[in-house]
């Protein structure tokens, strides 16, 4: 059988793993600096936990798992279930009869499930961060994978808009340390609800936001075409035409909305909330160029209720590298009311591609061995291992070439693996308590005392 990877998945070699760890370490450090605590949840959830939370298009991308109860059943029952299973295969596929679990689509819904199950044990506001893989049955392309990591930070149990302001700070601080210049696009779902009311399409809110969320991909003409296909009238579309001609002044655009939203309670509430977040962020020193009011930003997830964010790299063509928003009703579907929440996500895989494209990974992000000890065989090998143990005790990476091979072969191994120094501990060195090593980058070789070498 010819080995192959499943579409949308990847293997990661040493350099890639080290660089991903470099990004994760920066994010985790900042999560903890901002008061978030770690949480991990299972890779798969009950299908009922996930469905109905991501909108029609999102639900289609959930990776479903075939029902495991067949394997758990006793022989007689198993035979009957297998027969039923075969009959089901001869009919149109029914997810309900064949599946009961699914790989998690994101980290937010499993988090809401966790909060609902443990709300009596948690101290609110509860702040958690989570760094784990998620899965989506999407069409693979650049920056879009079927298995990828999300790095989330969420706060539940607080309606305070200062949480939004803090998350803006978390985004900017983290990307500054990664040396990636970004723009945070921000909107509010209440504004989108207000726009639907203004255009007389309140009953088409989901259709409206799902279409609007594709502006970057299909442009204004594509949006108009999709809205018409979703039975939204040309008259309503004409009323929304101003959305595509916004100025660069966020506060000016909000003022324009106030005028259009007179008597529109939900729309005005959204404007008020967004104005607070933008104004306070500016008061804390955020550059207005880094925080853009994007009235067409929709983020097509049904559970958002307030502020929504999307982060884009300024110097790389890579879609969004982060996003999130407020979800004040998500735990209600699990029977727990009055637990408002807000969260943001960092897209690890896309961030990696941006940092790589811009050549921003520092040299220390590569995990290379410091010393390779040449293997001369016999007593020298034992003495080399004794010295290697002492180096490792000091936190210095070192290894022994496994065979007593020709020195050229050992040199080639060290160079291909990116090892910095090749160490020679022969009979003379052992006798004189010295160490000879060659720096493969500089091409310099020297002999020093054993004490000096160990520092």
């Amino acid at each position: 059988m010819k080995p192959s990877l499943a579409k949308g998945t990847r293997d990661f070699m040493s350099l890639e793993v080290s660089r991903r760890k470099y990004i994760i370490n920066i994010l985790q450090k900042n999560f903890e600096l901002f008061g978030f605590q770690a949480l991990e949840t299972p890779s798969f959830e009950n299908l009922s936990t996930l469905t109905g939370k991501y909108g029609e298009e999102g639900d289609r991308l959930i990776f479903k798992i075939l029902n495991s109860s067949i394997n758990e059943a006793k022989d007689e029952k198993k035979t009957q279930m297998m027969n039923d299973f075969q009959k089901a295969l001869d009919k149109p596929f029914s997810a309900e009869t064949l599946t009961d679990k699914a790989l998690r689509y994101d980290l937010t819904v499993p988090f809401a499930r966790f909060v609902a199950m443990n709300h009596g044990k948690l101290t609110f506001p509860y702040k958690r961060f989570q760094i784990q893989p998620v899965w989506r049955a999407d069409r693979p392309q650049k920056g879009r994978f079927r298995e990828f990591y999300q790095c989330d930070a969420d706060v539940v149990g607080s309606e305070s808009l200062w949480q939004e302001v803090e998350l803006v700070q978390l985004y900017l601080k983290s990307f500054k340390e990664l040396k990636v210049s970004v723009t945070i696009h921000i909107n509010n779902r209440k504004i989108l609800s207000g726009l639907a009311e203004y255009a007389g399409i309140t009953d088409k809110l989901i259709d409206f936001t799902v279409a609007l969320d594709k502006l970057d991909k299909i442009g204004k003409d594509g949006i108009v075409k999709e809205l018409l296909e979703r039975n939204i009238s040309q008259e309503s579309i004409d009323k929304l035409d101003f959305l595509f001609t916004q100025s660069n002044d966020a506060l000016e655009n909000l003022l324009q909305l106030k005028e259009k939203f007179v008597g529109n309670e939900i729309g005005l509430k959204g404007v008020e909330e967004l104005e607070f977040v933008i104004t306070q962020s500016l008061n804390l020193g955020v550059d207005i160029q880094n925080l853009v009011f994007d009235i067409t930003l929709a983020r097509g997830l049904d559970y958002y209720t307030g502020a929504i964010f999307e982060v884009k790299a300024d110097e790389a063509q890579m879609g969004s590298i982060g996003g999130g928003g407020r979800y004040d009703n998500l735990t209600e579907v699990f029977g727990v009311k009055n637990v408002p929440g807000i969260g943001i996500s960092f897209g690890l895989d896309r961030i990696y591609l941006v940092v790589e494209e811009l050549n921003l990974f520092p040299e220390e992000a590569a995990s290379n061995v410091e010393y390779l000890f040449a293997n001369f065989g016999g007593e020298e090998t034992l003495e080399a291992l004794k010295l290697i143990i002492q180096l490792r005790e000091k936190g210095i990476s070192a290894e022994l070439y496994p065979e007593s091979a020709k020195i050229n072969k050992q040199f080639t191994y060290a160079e291909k693996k990116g090892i910095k120094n090749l160490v020679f501990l022969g009979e003379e060195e052992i006798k004189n308590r010295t160490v000879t090593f060659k720096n493969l980058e500089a091409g310099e070789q020297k002999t020093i005392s054993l004490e000096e070498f160990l520092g």
Side-chain angles (χ1 to χ4, degrees):
M1 182 181 73
K2 183 179 179 180
S4 63
L5 276 171
K7 287 184 178 180
T9 65
R10 297 147 296 159
D11 292 319
F12 298 110
M13 295 185 69
S14 175
L15 179 62
E16 294 166 308
V17 171
S18 296
R19 287 179 167 180
R20 287 165 67 86
K21 186 177 179 181
Y22 161 76
I23 296 172
I24 288 172
N25 286 345
I26 287 177
L27 298 181
Q28 180 166 335
K29 181 198 71 173
N30 282 312
F31 289 157
E32 292 172 348
L33 283 175
F34 278 69
F36 294 89
Q37 297 177 311
L39 174 70
E40 292 188 357
T41 58
S43 298
F44 58 91
E45 297 274 348
N46 291 323
L47 182 60
S48 58
T49 296
L50 302 180
T51 51
K53 316 299 189 304
Y54 306 109
E56 182 181 336
E57 293 193 14
D59 280 355
R60 284 202 296 266
L61 300 182
I62 293 174
F63 265 113
K64 300 176 180 67
I65 301 173
L66 286 176
N67 198 322
S68 60
S69 59
I70 292 177
N71 290 327
E72 297 168 358
K74 294 184 178 179
D75 290 344
E76 184 177 340
K77 179 67 174 176
K78 183 182 292 187
T79 300
Q80 180 61 48
M81 293 180 75
M82 288 296 291
N83 290 336
D84 293 342
F85 182 83
Q86 186 60 49
K87 289 178 183 178
L89 291 178
D90 295 333
K91 300 176 182 178
F93 181 79
S94 170
E96 290 75 17
T97 57
L98 300 183
T99 68
D100 61 357
K101 298 178 182 64
L103 295 176
R104 58 171 174 248
Y105 178 93
D106 73 351
L107 300 179
T108 305
V109 171
F111 173 54
R113 187 266 309 152
F114 167 83
V115 172
M117 290 180 65
N118 296 277
H119 67 281
K121 306 173 187 175
L122 302 176
T123 300
F124 293 103
Y126 176 59
K127 303 173 72 172
R128 85 85 171 82
F129 76 86
Q130 195 168 345
I131 301 174
Q132 287 186 279
V134 299
W135 294 267
R136 295 183 187 178
D138 210 344
R139 183 170 63 86
Q141 54 186 290
K142 182 182 179 182
R144 189 184 296 276
F145 308 100
R146 288 179 170 175
E147 178 186 61
F148 57 97
Y149 267 71
Q150 286 187 340
C151 309
D152 283 14
D154 290 71
V155 186
V156 292
S158 173
E159 295 180 336
S160 171
L161 294 175
W162 287 108
Q163 303 292 355
E164 279 85 334
V165 177
E166 276 273 86
L167 291 176
V168 168
Q169 295 291 321
L170 176 56
Y171 262 142
L172 292 176
K173 185 176 187 303
S174 298
F175 282 113
K176 181 179 180 181
E177 291 184 20
L178 289 167
K179 298 180 174 59
V180 176
S181 176
V182 298
T183 299
I184 301 175
H185 295 250
I186 184 171
N187 197 5
N188 192 296
R189 286 298 282 255
K190 294 185 180 71
I191 289 177
L192 294 171
S193 296
L195 287 170
E197 183 176 320
Y198 170 74
I201 54 171
T202 302
D203 60 328
K204 296 284 187 179
L205 174 62
I206 299 300
D207 290 324
F208 167 56
T209 55
V210 167
L212 196 63
D213 198 43
K214 300 176 182 177
L215 181 62
D216 285 351
K217 301 173 186 174
I218 62 178
K220 176 185 174 181
D221 292 342
I223 297 295
V224 171
K225 179 183 178 183
E226 185 159 333
L227 291 175
L228 289 170
E229 290 173 350
R230 291 174 180 267
N231 297 318
I232 294 176
S233 70
Q234 186 64 55
E235 181 183 359
S236 294
I237 294 172
D238 289 342
K239 291 191 72 173
L240 297 169
D241 189 67
F242 75 96
L243 296 179
F244 306 103
T245 57
Q246 295 289 292
S247 75
N248 293 325
D249 189 322
L251 298 179
E252 179 184 316
N253 292 335
L254 287 170
L255 183 60
Q256 181 188 30
L257 277 181
K258 282 183 180 179
E259 296 171 356
K260 293 183 180 296
F261 284 167
V262 172
N264 185 328
E265 184 177 348
I266 191 167
L268 287 174
K269 180 65 173 174
V271 170
E272 176 188 332
E273 291 179 2
L274 191 55
E275 193 172 36
F276 177 89
V277 175
I278 292 175
T279 300
Q280 299 306 333
S281 295
L282 297 180
N283 288 340
L284 289 170
V286 174
D287 191 325
I288 189 62
Q289 301 299 317
N290 296 123
L291 187 61
V292 173
F293 168 35
D294 186 349
I295 199 171
T296 64
L297 175 63
R299 291 196 63 78
L301 296 179
D302 286 356
Y303 54 67
Y304 289 129
T305 58
I308 44 179
F309 302 97
E310 201 158 89
V311 183
K312 297 183 180 180
D314 296 333
E315 299 169 346
Q317 296 295 318
M318 184 55 69
S320 64
I321 56 176
R326 179 167 283 279
Y327 48 91
D328 284 344
N329 307 314
L330 194 54
T331 58
E332 287 188 16
V333 299
F334 300 114
V336 178
K337 297 183 178 181
N338 302 318
V339 186
I342 182 170
I344 60 173
S345 181
F346 292 78
L348 172 63
D349 300 271
R350 287 190 175 185
I351 293 171
Y352 181 103
L353 292 174
V354 168
V355 176
E356 183 179 53
E357 179 181 332
L358 300 177
N359 197 29
L360 297 174
F361 281 114
E363 185 179 338
E364 58 266 26
S367 179
N368 292 329
V369 174
E370 189 75 20
Y371 295 105
L372 172 68
F373 280 69
N375 191 329
F376 295 113
E379 183 68 21
E380 290 92 337
T381 302
L382 179 61
E383 293 302 317
L385 281 171
K386 289 179 180 178
L387 189 50
I388 287 171
I389 289 172
Q390 293 181 68
L391 288 173
R392 290 171 178 167
E393 288 293 326
K394 293 176 175 290
I396 299 170
S397 58
E399 65 171 285
L400 173 73
Y401 191 80
E403 286 92 25
S404 177
K406 291 181 179 180
I407 198 65
N408 285 343
K409 187 175 181 180
Q410 302 190 46
F411 261 110
T412 300
Y413 174 83
E415 289 170 348
K416 286 185 175 181
K417 198 172 177 181
I419 297 174
K420 297 178 182 179
N421 301 285
L422 183 58
V423 180
F424 307 103
L425 194 65
E427 185 178 338
E428 284 297 313
E429 283 82 9
I430 295 171
K431 177 182 176 182
N432 298 321
R433 291 186 58 79
T434 59
V435 174
T436 299
F437 66 95
K438 183 170 185 176
N439 185 297
L440 300 181
E441 293 176 347
E444 298 176 352
Q445 181 170 312
K446 57 182 176 180
T447 300
I448 59 177
S449 69
L450 182 60
E451 290 75 15
E452 184 181 354
F453 179 72
L454 290 173

